[in-house]
mmCIF file of all heavy atoms in Angstrom:
data_model
loop_
_atom_site.group_PDB
_atom_site.id
_atom_site.type_symbol
_atom_site.label_atom_id
_atom_site.label_comp_id
_atom_site.label_asym_id
_atom_site.label_seq_id
_atom_site.Cartn_x
_atom_site.Cartn_y
_atom_site.Cartn_z
ATOM 1 N N GLN M 7 0.537 19.005 -2.053
ATOM 2 C CA GLN M 7 0.673 20.413 -1.679
ATOM 3 C C GLN M 7 0.233 21.237 -2.915
ATOM 4 O O GLN M 7 -0.041 20.674 -3.979
ATOM 5 C CB GLN M 7 2.083 20.757 -1.330
ATOM 6 C CG GLN M 7 2.645 19.916 -0.224
ATOM 7 C CD GLN M 7 4.124 20.228 0.050
ATOM 8 O OE1 GLN M 7 4.699 21.133 -0.507
ATOM 9 N NE2 GLN M 7 4.768 19.431 0.868
ATOM 10 N N VAL M 17 22.980 16.811 -16.584
ATOM 11 C CA VAL M 17 23.231 15.780 -17.568
ATOM 12 C C VAL M 17 24.474 16.211 -18.320
ATOM 13 O O VAL M 17 24.482 17.305 -18.964
ATOM 14 C CB VAL M 17 22.052 15.642 -18.562
ATOM 15 C CG1 VAL M 17 22.376 14.678 -19.689
ATOM 16 C CG2 VAL M 17 20.818 15.202 -17.768
ATOM 17 N N ASN M 20 28.779 13.891 -23.481
ATOM 18 C CA ASN M 20 30.162 13.901 -23.948
ATOM 19 C C ASN M 20 30.264 13.491 -25.409
ATOM 20 O O ASN M 20 29.415 12.680 -25.860
ATOM 21 C CB ASN M 20 31.013 12.949 -23.052
ATOM 22 C CG ASN M 20 31.081 13.419 -21.687
ATOM 23 O OD1 ASN M 20 31.434 14.546 -21.352
ATOM 24 N ND2 ASN M 20 30.631 12.552 -20.737
ATOM 25 N N GLY M 22 30.851 11.546 -28.591
ATOM 26 C CA GLY M 22 30.891 10.124 -28.829
ATOM 27 C C GLY M 22 29.919 9.342 -27.962
ATOM 28 O O GLY M 22 29.740 8.137 -28.128
ATOM 29 N N THR M 27 21.020 7.878 -34.543
ATOM 30 C CA THR M 27 19.771 8.582 -34.201
ATOM 31 C C THR M 27 19.221 8.117 -32.816
ATOM 32 O O THR M 27 18.094 8.377 -32.511
ATOM 33 C CB THR M 27 18.688 8.219 -35.260
ATOM 34 O OG1 THR M 27 18.560 6.782 -35.299
ATOM 35 C CG2 THR M 27 19.085 8.760 -36.600
ATOM 36 N N ILE M 34 15.781 12.787 -13.946
ATOM 37 C CA ILE M 34 16.215 13.944 -13.106
ATOM 38 C C ILE M 34 15.542 13.875 -11.752
ATOM 39 O O ILE M 34 16.160 14.131 -10.731
ATOM 40 C CB ILE M 34 15.781 15.281 -13.797
ATOM 41 C CG1 ILE M 34 16.518 15.409 -15.151
ATOM 42 C CG2 ILE M 34 16.115 16.496 -12.907
ATOM 43 C CD1 ILE M 34 18.032 15.504 -15.046
ATOM 44 N N GLY M 36 13.162 11.669 -8.776
ATOM 45 C CA GLY M 36 12.723 10.330 -8.348
ATOM 46 C C GLY M 36 11.322 10.119 -8.740
ATOM 47 O O GLY M 36 10.666 11.009 -9.347
ATOM 48 N N ASP M 38 7.486 10.347 -8.049
ATOM 49 C CA ASP M 38 6.621 11.214 -7.271
ATOM 50 C C ASP M 38 5.196 10.774 -7.489
ATOM 51 O O ASP M 38 4.831 10.253 -8.561
ATOM 52 C CB ASP M 38 6.824 12.673 -7.725
ATOM 53 C CG ASP M 38 6.357 13.714 -6.633
ATOM 54 O OD1 ASP M 38 6.450 13.449 -5.486
ATOM 55 O OD2 ASP M 38 5.900 14.776 -7.116
ATOM 56 N N ILE M 41 -0.998 11.836 -7.619
ATOM 57 C CA ILE M 41 -2.220 12.427 -7.021
ATOM 58 C C ILE M 41 -2.152 13.933 -7.072
ATOM 59 O O ILE M 41 -1.161 14.571 -6.685
ATOM 60 C CB ILE M 41 -2.406 11.888 -5.593
ATOM 61 C CG1 ILE M 41 -3.740 12.342 -5.057
ATOM 62 C CG2 ILE M 41 -1.255 12.348 -4.700
ATOM 63 C CD1 ILE M 41 -4.115 11.585 -3.790
ATOM 64 N N LEU M 64 12.039 17.606 -22.451
ATOM 65 C CA LEU M 64 11.518 17.092 -21.165
ATOM 66 C C LEU M 64 10.710 15.831 -21.449
ATOM 67 O O LEU M 64 9.898 15.774 -22.349
ATOM 68 C CB LEU M 64 10.685 18.113 -20.464
ATOM 69 C CG LEU M 64 10.097 17.756 -19.080
ATOM 70 C CD1 LEU M 64 11.281 17.611 -18.100
ATOM 71 C CD2 LEU M 64 9.132 18.848 -18.629
ATOM 72 N N VAL M 65 10.899 14.792 -20.618
ATOM 73 C CA VAL M 65 10.153 13.546 -20.739
ATOM 74 C C VAL M 65 9.626 13.043 -19.390
ATOM 75 O O VAL M 65 10.118 13.553 -18.331
ATOM 76 C CB VAL M 65 10.995 12.398 -21.420
ATOM 77 C CG1 VAL M 65 11.364 12.751 -22.820
ATOM 78 C CG2 VAL M 65 12.285 12.160 -20.574
ATOM 79 N N ASN M 70 3.272 1.974 -11.431
ATOM 80 C CA ASN M 70 2.658 1.625 -10.158
ATOM 81 C C ASN M 70 3.721 0.966 -9.286
ATOM 82 O O ASN M 70 3.626 1.084 -8.041
ATOM 83 C CB ASN M 70 1.463 0.658 -10.387
ATOM 84 C CG ASN M 70 0.279 1.416 -10.908
ATOM 85 O OD1 ASN M 70 -0.052 2.490 -10.350
ATOM 86 N ND2 ASN M 70 -0.345 0.897 -11.920
ATOM 87 N N ASP M 71 4.667 0.331 -9.852
ATOM 88 C CA ASP M 71 5.823 -0.209 -9.199
ATOM 89 C C ASP M 71 7.089 0.402 -9.825
ATOM 90 O O ASP M 71 7.361 0.211 -11.003
ATOM 91 C CB ASP M 71 5.866 -1.758 -9.420
ATOM 92 C CG ASP M 71 7.025 -2.393 -8.717
ATOM 93 O OD1 ASP M 71 7.943 -1.741 -8.214
ATOM 94 O OD2 ASP M 71 6.994 -3.711 -8.660
ATOM 95 N N ALA M 77 7.153 3.092 -20.438
ATOM 96 C CA ALA M 77 8.116 3.753 -21.352
ATOM 97 C C ALA M 77 8.104 5.263 -21.137
ATOM 98 O O ALA M 77 7.106 5.856 -20.708
ATOM 99 C CB ALA M 77 7.722 3.396 -22.780
ATOM 100 N N TRP M 85 11.733 19.089 -30.310
ATOM 101 C CA TRP M 85 13.099 19.047 -29.637
ATOM 102 C C TRP M 85 13.647 20.491 -29.599
ATOM 103 O O TRP M 85 13.342 21.295 -30.507
ATOM 104 C CB TRP M 85 14.034 18.190 -30.463
ATOM 105 C CG TRP M 85 13.627 16.769 -30.423
ATOM 106 C CD1 TRP M 85 12.738 16.056 -31.207
ATOM 107 C CD2 TRP M 85 14.176 15.765 -29.507
ATOM 108 N NE1 TRP M 85 12.714 14.777 -30.872
ATOM 109 C CE2 TRP M 85 13.520 14.528 -29.777
ATOM 110 C CE3 TRP M 85 15.100 15.831 -28.485
ATOM 111 C CZ2 TRP M 85 13.840 13.402 -29.083
ATOM 112 C CZ3 TRP M 85 15.366 14.685 -27.777
ATOM 113 C CH2 TRP M 85 14.746 13.456 -28.078
ATOM 114 N N THR M 89 21.778 26.896 -29.009
ATOM 115 C CA THR M 89 22.905 27.478 -29.724
ATOM 116 C C THR M 89 24.144 27.252 -28.978
ATOM 117 O O THR M 89 24.137 26.798 -27.822
ATOM 118 C CB THR M 89 22.760 29.000 -29.925
ATOM 119 O OG1 THR M 89 22.602 29.637 -28.650
ATOM 120 C CG2 THR M 89 21.519 29.358 -30.728
ATOM 121 N N LYS M 123 21.466 15.951 -33.285
ATOM 122 C CA LYS M 123 20.697 16.620 -34.302
ATOM 123 C C LYS M 123 20.872 15.938 -35.620
ATOM 124 O O LYS M 123 21.914 15.570 -36.045
ATOM 125 C CB LYS M 123 21.104 18.106 -34.409
ATOM 126 C CG LYS M 123 20.376 18.882 -35.381
ATOM 127 C CD LYS M 123 20.884 20.318 -35.462
ATOM 128 C CE LYS M 123 20.247 21.108 -36.588
ATOM 129 N NZ LYS M 123 20.827 22.431 -36.682
ATOM 130 N N ALA M 126 23.847 16.435 -38.253
ATOM 131 C CA ALA M 126 24.971 17.084 -37.574
ATOM 132 C C ALA M 126 26.293 16.576 -38.119
ATOM 133 O O ALA M 126 26.439 15.377 -38.361
ATOM 134 C CB ALA M 126 24.852 16.843 -36.039
#
Side-chain angles (χ1 to χ4, degrees):
Q7 301 176 10
V17 174
N20 298 304
T27 58
I34 299 297
D38 199 32
I41 188 165
L64 183 66
V65 293
N70 284 314
D71 180 350
W85 292 86
T89 59
K123 180 181 171 185

